[in-house]
Each structure stands twice: as C-alpha cells, then as structure tokens.
Amino acid sequence: MEAKITKKMKFEGMIAYFKGEDTDLTETQFIEFCEEQIADLDKKAAKAKERAAAKRAEADELQRMVEGVLTEEYQTVADIAEQVLPLVTEDMGEVSTQKIISRITKLVEAQVAEKKQVTVEAEGKKRKCMAYRLAEVTCGDPDAEVEE
C-alpha cells in the first residue's frame, strides 16, 4: 500500500526540486498540487466574499431600521436607540448605540437625514447634543426648464 503524500511532503519536494536535489515527485505532480492550491484559495476567497456580503446585508438592515424610526422631528441618539433596539433580531447579533450612531452618520452623509445641535434638559441640567431627523426633500425650482 502506497503512503499518502502530504502537503508538507509536496512542499518539501518542491524545495528540493528547485534546489536541484533529487525528489520522488514529478513536475506533473507539482503542477497538479499548485493548481489544487489555487483552486482552494479561490474557494476561500469566494466564501469570504459571501460572508462579507451577508455582513453588509445585516448592516443594511440596521440602517433601514434607523431610517424607519427617523421622523420630521429632531430626535437625539438616545431617543432613536430607544426605538431601534427593541426591533433588533437575534440573527443581527449585538447592536450597540455606537452601531446606531454609525448608521445615522451614514444617513447624514447620504443626505437622507440631517443633524442639528439641540439643548436637552436631563435631571435638571441642560446639555447640548446632536439631534437627527429625515432630510427635507426639495424638488427644485418648479419654473425651471427640464432638459430632455
């Protein structure tokens, strides 16, 4: 019964071959081994791409939730988080206030939401914090000519 040739043995054989030493493996075996390794790397890359896409989709779901709770009235991050956190599902993993702030920031950058500094009174003290709301949609000048 033939002994199984391991990856380590193949790598050692390749090193010996390139050093000009004798090896039990043929060039064809080296080529097949390299092609197998390339195929494995391609599979790993495809799996990583799938996982990244799933993570982005999960993040997009949180962003849609955040956008869904925004209204035309300014709300603080605490108010928004208070509305979003009960909507979070188990498959989304742990959602922190920081993740919610990140999604709000993305919405502001995309001009879907707008922010404004407001003064909030809490426990008898006034403090300034950022508040967010849906951005106002402007349709432009109704008298402007439309290019076709």
Side-chain angles (χ1 to χ4, degrees):
M1 183 171 157
E2 273 187 48
K4 182 177 184 320
I5 300 174
T6 65
K7 277 187 181 183
K8 180 181 177 184
M9 293 167 70
K10 289 180 182 179
F11 282 121
E12 288 170 343
M14 290 174 86
I15 291 170
Y17 177 81
F18 287 113
K19 285 183 174 180
E21 300 170 3
D22 289 336
T23 179
D24 295 336
L25 301 172
T26 65
E27 285 183 25
T28 305
Q29 288 174 311
F30 290 141
I31 292 170
E32 288 172 0
F33 174 71
C34 289
E35 288 172 343
E36 288 171 11
Q37 295 303 303
I38 291 169
D40 287 346
L41 289 172
D42 289 342
K43 285 180 190 176
K44 285 181 184 179
K47 285 282 188 195
K49 212 174 202 179
E50 285 177 24
R51 283 192 302 275
K55 223 173 197 177
R56 277 194 305 278
E58 184 178 296
D60 292 344
E61 185 177 344
L62 179 58
Q63 188 163 330
R64 284 190 295 274
M65 285 180 171
V66 171
E67 185 177 350
V69 300
L70 290 176
T71 64
E72 294 176 2
E73 300 296 319
Y74 282 103
Q75 303 175 70
T76 64
V77 171
D79 295 335
I80 295 168
E82 195 175 288
Q83 295 173 61
V84 170
L85 291 175
L87 304 174
V88 173
T89 59
E90 286 181 22
D91 60 317
M92 292 176 69
E94 189 176 328
V95 175
S96 64
T97 303
Q98 190 58 44
K99 285 185 179 181
I100 293 172
I101 292 170
S102 171
R103 298 320 182 278
I104 294 170
T105 302
K106 287 180 182 178
L107 290 170
V108 170
E109 288 171 356
Q111 297 180 343
V112 173
E114 54 188 32
K115 65 182 180 177
K116 173 183 172 184
Q117 191 172 41
V118 296
T119 304
V120 178
E121 191 168 327
E123 300 172 13
K125 296 181 180 180
K126 291 184 178 181
R127 63 182 181 98
K128 292 184 179 183
C129 64
M130 296 307 292
Y132 303 87
R133 71 175 186 181
L134 287 174
E136 293 181 11
V137 179
T138 56
C139 296
D141 184 6
D143 297 327
E145 291 184 25
V146 178
E147 293 182 29
E148 292 186 30

Coordinates of all heavy atoms in Angstrom, one line a residue, residues 59-118:
A59 N -25.9 44.8 8.1 CA -25.7 46.2 8.4 C -26.7 47.1 7.7 O -27.2 48.0 8.3 CB -24.3 46.6 8.0
D60 N -27.0 46.7 6.5 CA -28.0 47.5 5.8 C -29.4 47.4 6.4 O -30.2 48.3 6.4 CB -28.1 47.0 4.3 CG -26.9 47.3 3.5 OD1 -26.1 48.2 4.0 OD2 -26.7 46.7 2.4
E61 N -29.7 46.2 7.0 CA -30.9 46.0 7.7 C -31.0 47.0 8.9 O -32.1 47.6 9.2 CB -31.1 44.6 8.2 CG -32.4 44.3 8.8 CD -32.5 42.8 9.2 OE1 -31.7 42.0 8.7 OE2 -33.4 42.5 10.0
L62 N -29.9 47.1 9.6 CA -29.9 48.0 10.8 C -30.1 49.5 10.3 O -30.8 50.3 10.9 CB -28.6 47.9 11.6 CG -28.4 48.8 12.8 CD1 -29.5 48.6 13.8 CD2 -27.1 48.6 13.4
Q63 N -29.4 49.8 9.2 CA -29.6 51.2 8.6 C -31.0 51.4 8.2 O -31.5 52.5 8.5 CB -28.6 51.4 7.5 CG -28.6 52.8 7.0 CD -27.4 53.1 6.1 OE1 -26.3 52.4 6.2 NE2 -27.5 54.0 5.2
R64 N -31.7 50.4 7.6 CA -33.1 50.6 7.3 C -34.0 50.8 8.5 O -34.9 51.6 8.5 CB -33.6 49.4 6.4 CG -33.1 49.4 5.0 CD -33.8 48.4 4.2 NE -33.5 47.0 4.6 CZ -32.4 46.3 4.2 NH1 -31.6 46.8 3.4 NH2 -32.2 45.1 4.7
M65 N -33.6 50.1 9.6 CA -34.4 50.3 10.8 C -34.2 51.7 11.4 O -35.2 52.3 11.8 CB -33.9 49.3 11.9 CG -34.3 47.9 11.7 SD -33.6 46.9 13.0 CE -34.4 45.3 12.7
V66 N -33.0 52.2 11.4 CA -32.7 53.5 11.9 C -33.4 54.5 11.0 O -34.1 55.4 11.6 CB -31.2 53.8 11.9 CG1 -30.9 55.3 12.2 CG2 -30.5 52.9 12.9
E67 N -33.4 54.4 9.7 CA -34.1 55.3 8.8 C -35.6 55.2 9.1 O -36.3 56.3 9.0 CB -33.8 55.0 7.4 CG -34.3 55.9 6.4 CD -34.0 55.6 4.9 OE1 -33.1 54.8 4.7 OE2 -34.6 56.3 4.0
G68 N -36.1 54.0 9.4 CA -37.5 53.9 9.6 C -38.0 54.6 10.9 O -39.2 55.0 10.9
V69 N -37.2 54.8 11.9 CA -37.6 55.4 13.1 C -37.4 57.0 13.0 O -38.0 57.7 13.8 CB -37.0 54.9 14.4 CG1 -37.3 53.4 14.5 CG2 -35.5 55.1 14.4
L70 N -36.7 57.4 12.1 CA -36.5 58.9 11.9 C -37.8 59.5 11.4 O -38.5 58.9 10.6 CB -35.3 59.2 10.9 CG -33.9 58.9 11.4 CD1 -32.9 59.2 10.3 CD2 -33.6 59.7 12.7
T71 N -38.1 60.7 11.9 CA -39.3 61.4 11.5 C -38.9 62.8 11.1 O -37.7 63.1 11.0 CB -40.3 61.5 12.7 OG1 -39.6 62.3 13.8 CG2 -40.7 60.1 13.2
E72 N -39.8 63.7 10.9 CA -39.6 65.0 10.5 C -39.2 65.9 11.8 O -38.7 67.0 11.6 CB -40.8 65.6 9.8 CG -41.0 65.0 8.5 CD -42.3 65.5 7.8 OE1 -43.0 66.4 8.3 OE2 -42.6 65.0 6.7
E73 N -39.4 65.3 12.9 CA -39.0 66.0 14.2 C -37.6 65.6 14.6 O -37.2 64.4 14.4 CB -40.0 65.6 15.3 CG -41.4 66.0 15.0 CD -41.6 67.5 14.9 OE1 -41.0 68.3 15.7 OE2 -42.3 67.9 14.0
Y74 N -36.8 66.5 15.1 CA -35.4 66.1 15.6 C -35.5 65.2 16.8 O -36.3 65.4 17.7 CB -34.7 67.4 15.9 CG -34.1 68.1 14.7 CD1 -34.7 69.3 14.3 CD2 -33.0 67.6 14.1 CE1 -34.3 69.9 13.1 CE2 -32.5 68.3 12.9 CZ -33.1 69.4 12.5 OH -32.7 70.1 11.4
Q75 N -34.7 64.2 16.8 CA -34.6 63.2 17.9 C -33.1 63.0 18.2 O -32.3 63.0 17.4 CB -35.1 61.8 17.5 CG -36.6 61.9 17.0 CD -37.0 60.5 16.5 OE1 -37.1 59.6 17.3 NE2 -37.1 60.3 15.2
T76 N -32.9 62.8 19.5 CA -31.5 62.6 20.0 C -31.1 61.1 19.7 O -32.0 60.3 19.4 CB -31.3 62.8 21.5 OG1 -32.2 61.9 22.2 CG2 -31.7 64.3 21.8
V77 N -29.9 60.8 19.8 CA -29.4 59.4 19.6 C -30.1 58.5 20.6 O -30.5 57.4 20.3 CB -27.9 59.3 19.7 CG1 -27.4 57.9 19.7 CG2 -27.2 60.1 18.5
A78 N -30.2 58.9 21.8 CA -30.8 58.1 22.9 C -32.3 57.8 22.5 O -32.7 56.7 22.7 CB -30.8 58.9 24.2
D79 N -33.0 58.8 21.9 CA -34.4 58.6 21.5 C -34.5 57.6 20.4 O -35.3 56.7 20.4 CB -35.1 59.9 21.1 CG -35.2 60.9 22.2 OD1 -35.2 60.4 23.4 OD2 -35.3 62.1 22.0
I80 N -33.6 57.7 19.4 CA -33.5 56.8 18.3 C -33.2 55.4 18.7 O -33.8 54.4 18.3 CB -32.5 57.3 17.2 CG1 -33.0 58.7 16.6 CG2 -32.4 56.3 16.1 CD1 -32.0 59.4 15.8
A81 N -32.2 55.3 19.5 CA -31.7 54.0 20.0 C -32.9 53.3 20.8 O -33.1 52.1 20.7 CB -30.5 54.1 20.9
E82 N -33.6 54.1 21.6 CA -34.7 53.5 22.4 C -35.8 52.9 21.5 O -36.4 51.9 21.8 CB -35.3 54.7 23.2 CG -36.2 54.2 24.3 CD -36.7 55.4 25.1 OE1 -35.8 56.0 25.9 OE2 -37.8 55.9 25.0
Q83 N -35.9 53.4 20.3 CA -36.9 52.9 19.3 C -36.3 51.7 18.5 O -37.1 50.8 18.1 CB -37.3 54.0 18.4 CG -38.1 55.2 19.0 CD -38.3 56.3 18.1 OE1 -39.0 56.1 17.1 NE2 -37.8 57.5 18.3
V84 N -35.0 51.8 18.2 CA -34.4 50.8 17.3 C -34.1 49.5 18.0 O -34.4 48.4 17.5 CB -33.1 51.3 16.6 CG1 -32.4 50.2 15.9 CG2 -33.5 52.4 15.7
L85 N -33.6 49.6 19.2 CA -33.1 48.4 20.0 C -34.2 47.3 20.1 O -33.9 46.1 20.0 CB -32.5 48.8 21.3 CG -31.2 49.5 21.2 CD1 -30.7 50.0 22.5 CD2 -30.1 48.6 20.5
P86 N -35.5 47.7 20.4 CA -36.5 46.6 20.5 C -36.8 45.9 19.2 O -37.3 44.8 19.2 CB -37.7 47.4 21.0 CG -37.2 48.6 21.6 CD -36.0 49.0 20.9
L87 N -36.4 46.5 18.1 CA -36.7 46.0 16.7 C -35.6 45.0 16.3 O -35.7 44.2 15.3 CB -36.8 47.1 15.7 CG -37.8 48.1 15.9 CD1 -37.7 49.2 14.9 CD2 -39.2 47.5 15.9
V88 N -34.4 45.0 17.0 CA -33.3 44.2 16.6 C -33.6 42.7 16.8 O -34.1 42.3 17.9 CB -32.0 44.6 17.5 CG1 -30.9 43.6 17.2 CG2 -31.7 46.0 17.2
T89 N -33.3 41.9 15.8 CA -33.5 40.4 15.9 C -32.2 39.7 16.3 O -31.1 40.3 16.2 CB -33.9 39.9 14.5 OG1 -32.9 40.2 13.6 CG2 -35.3 40.5 14.1
E90 N -32.3 38.5 16.8 CA -31.2 37.7 17.3 C -30.1 37.5 16.2 O -29.0 37.5 16.5 CB -31.7 36.4 17.8 CG -32.4 36.5 19.2 CD -32.8 35.1 19.7 OE1 -32.2 34.1 19.2 OE2 -33.7 35.1 20.5
D91 N -30.6 37.3 15.0 CA -29.6 37.0 13.9 C -28.8 38.2 13.5 O -27.8 38.1 12.8 CB -30.3 36.4 12.7 CG -31.4 37.4 12.1 OD1 -32.1 38.0 12.9 OD2 -31.4 37.5 10.9
M92 N -29.1 39.4 14.0 CA -28.4 40.6 13.7 C -27.2 40.7 14.7 O -26.3 41.6 14.5 CB -29.2 41.9 13.9 CG -30.3 42.0 12.8 SD -31.4 43.4 13.0 CE -30.2 44.7 12.7
G93 N -27.1 39.9 15.7 CA -26.1 40.0 16.7 C -26.3 41.1 17.7 O -27.4 41.7 17.7
E94 N -25.3 41.5 18.4 CA -25.4 42.6 19.4 C -25.3 43.9 18.6 O -24.4 44.2 17.8 CB -24.2 42.5 20.3 CG -24.4 43.4 21.5 CD -23.3 43.3 22.5 OE1 -22.8 42.1 22.7 OE2 -22.9 44.3 23.2
V95 N -26.3 44.7 18.9 CA -26.4 46.1 18.3 C -26.2 47.1 19.5 O -27.0 47.1 20.4 CB -27.7 46.3 17.6 CG1 -27.8 47.8 17.1 CG2 -27.8 45.4 16.4
S96 N -25.2 47.9 19.3 CA -24.9 48.9 20.4 C -25.3 50.3 19.9 O -25.6 50.5 18.7 CB -23.4 48.9 20.6 OG -22.7 49.3 19.5
T97 N -25.3 51.2 20.8 CA -25.6 52.6 20.5 C -24.6 53.1 19.5 O -25.0 53.9 18.5 CB -25.6 53.5 21.7 OG1 -26.6 52.9 22.7 CG2 -26.0 54.9 21.4
Q98 N -23.4 52.7 19.6 CA -22.3 53.1 18.7 C -22.6 52.7 17.2 O -22.4 53.4 16.3 CB -20.9 52.6 19.1 CG -19.8 53.2 18.3 CD -19.7 54.7 18.5 OE1 -19.9 55.3 19.5 NE2 -19.5 55.4 17.4
K99 N -23.1 51.5 17.1 CA -23.5 51.0 15.7 C -24.7 51.8 15.2 O -24.7 52.1 14.0 CB -23.9 49.5 15.8 CG -22.7 48.6 15.9 CD -23.2 47.1 15.8 CE -22.0 46.2 16.0 NZ -22.4 44.8 15.9
I100 N -25.6 52.2 16.0 CA -26.7 53.0 15.6 C -26.2 54.4 15.2 O -26.6 54.9 14.1 CB -27.8 53.1 16.7 CG1 -28.4 51.7 16.9 CG2 -28.8 54.2 16.4 CD1 -29.3 51.6 18.1
I101 N -25.3 55.0 15.9 CA -24.7 56.3 15.6 C -24.0 56.2 14.2 O -24.1 57.1 13.4 CB -23.7 56.7 16.7 CG1 -24.5 57.1 18.0 CG2 -22.9 57.9 16.2 CD1 -23.6 57.3 19.2
S102 N -23.3 55.1 14.0 CA -22.6 54.9 12.7 C -23.6 54.9 11.6 O -23.3 55.5 10.5 CB -21.9 53.5 12.7 OG -21.4 53.2 11.5
R103 N -24.7 54.2 11.7 CA -25.8 54.2 10.7 C -26.4 55.6 10.5 O -26.6 56.0 9.4 CB -26.9 53.2 11.0 CG -26.4 51.7 11.1 CD -25.4 51.3 10.0 NE -25.0 50.0 10.1 CZ -24.1 49.4 10.9 NH1 -23.5 50.2 11.8 NH2 -23.8 48.2 10.8
I104 N -26.6 56.3 11.6 CA -27.1 57.7 11.5 C -26.1 58.5 10.7 O -26.6 59.3 9.8 CB -27.4 58.3 12.9 CG1 -28.5 57.5 13.6 CG2 -27.7 59.7 12.7 CD1 -28.7 57.9 15.0
T105 N -24.9 58.4 11.0 CA -23.8 59.2 10.3 C -23.9 58.9 8.8 O -23.8 59.8 8.0 CB -22.4 58.9 10.9 OG1 -22.5 59.2 12.3 CG2 -21.4 59.7 10.2
K106 N -24.0 57.6 8.4 CA -24.1 57.2 7.0 C -25.3 57.9 6.4 O -25.2 58.3 5.2 CB -24.1 55.7 6.9 CG -22.8 55.1 7.1 CD -22.9 53.6 7.0 CE -21.5 52.9 7.3 NZ -21.5 51.5 7.2
L107 N -26.4 57.9 7.1 CA -27.6 58.5 6.5 C -27.4 60.0 6.3 O -27.9 60.6 5.4 CB -28.8 58.2 7.5 CG -29.3 56.8 7.5 CD1 -30.3 56.6 8.6 CD2 -29.9 56.4 6.1
V108 N -26.7 60.6 7.3 CA -26.5 62.1 7.2 C -25.6 62.3 5.9 O -25.8 63.2 5.1 CB -25.8 62.7 8.4 CG1 -25.3 64.1 8.2 CG2 -26.9 62.6 9.6
E109 N -24.5 61.5 5.8 CA -23.6 61.7 4.7 C -24.3 61.4 3.3 O -24.0 62.1 2.3 CB -22.4 60.7 4.8 CG -21.5 61.0 5.9 CD -20.4 59.9 6.2 OE1 -20.5 58.9 5.6 OE2 -19.6 60.2 7.0
A110 N -25.3 60.5 3.3 CA -26.1 60.3 2.1 C -27.2 61.3 1.9 O -28.0 61.2 1.0 CB -26.7 58.9 2.1
Q111 N -27.3 62.3 2.8 CA -28.3 63.3 2.8 C -29.7 62.8 2.9 O -30.7 63.4 2.4 CB -28.1 64.2 1.6 CG -26.8 64.9 1.6 CD -26.6 65.8 0.3 OE1 -27.3 65.7 -0.6 NE2 -25.6 66.7 0.4
V112 N -29.8 61.6 3.5 CA -31.2 61.1 3.8 C -31.7 61.7 5.1 O -32.9 61.8 5.3 CB -31.1 59.5 3.9 CG1 -32.4 58.9 4.4 CG2 -30.7 59.0 2.6
A113 N -30.7 62.0 6.0 CA -31.0 62.6 7.3 C -30.2 63.9 7.5 O -29.2 64.1 6.8 CB -30.7 61.6 8.4
E114 N -30.7 64.7 8.4 CA -29.9 65.9 8.7 C -29.8 66.0 10.2 O -30.5 65.5 11.0 CB -30.5 67.1 8.1 CG -32.0 67.4 8.5 CD -32.6 68.5 7.7 OE1 -32.3 68.7 6.5 OE2 -33.5 69.1 8.3
K115 N -28.7 66.7 10.7 CA -28.5 66.9 12.1 C -28.4 68.3 12.5 O -28.2 69.2 11.7 CB -27.2 66.2 12.5 CG -25.9 66.8 11.9 CD -24.7 66.0 12.3 CE -23.4 66.6 11.7 NZ -22.2 65.9 12.2
K116 N -28.7 68.5 13.8 CA -28.7 69.9 14.3 C -28.4 69.7 15.8 O -28.8 68.8 16.5 CB -30.1 70.4 14.2 CG -30.3 71.8 14.8 CD -31.8 72.2 14.6 CE -32.1 73.4 15.4 NZ -33.6 73.7 15.3
Q117 N -27.6 70.7 16.3 CA -27.3 70.7 17.8 C -28.5 71.3 18.5 O -29.0 72.3 18.2 CB -26.1 71.5 18.0 CG -25.6 71.3 19.4 CD -24.2 72.0 19.6 OE1 -24.0 73.1 19.2 NE2 -23.3 71.4 20.4
V118 N -29.0 70.5 19.5 CA -30.1 71.0 20.3 C -29.7 71.0 21.8 O -28.8 70.3 22.2 CB -31.3 70.1 20.1 CG1 -31.8 70.1 18.7 CG2 -31.0 68.6 20.5

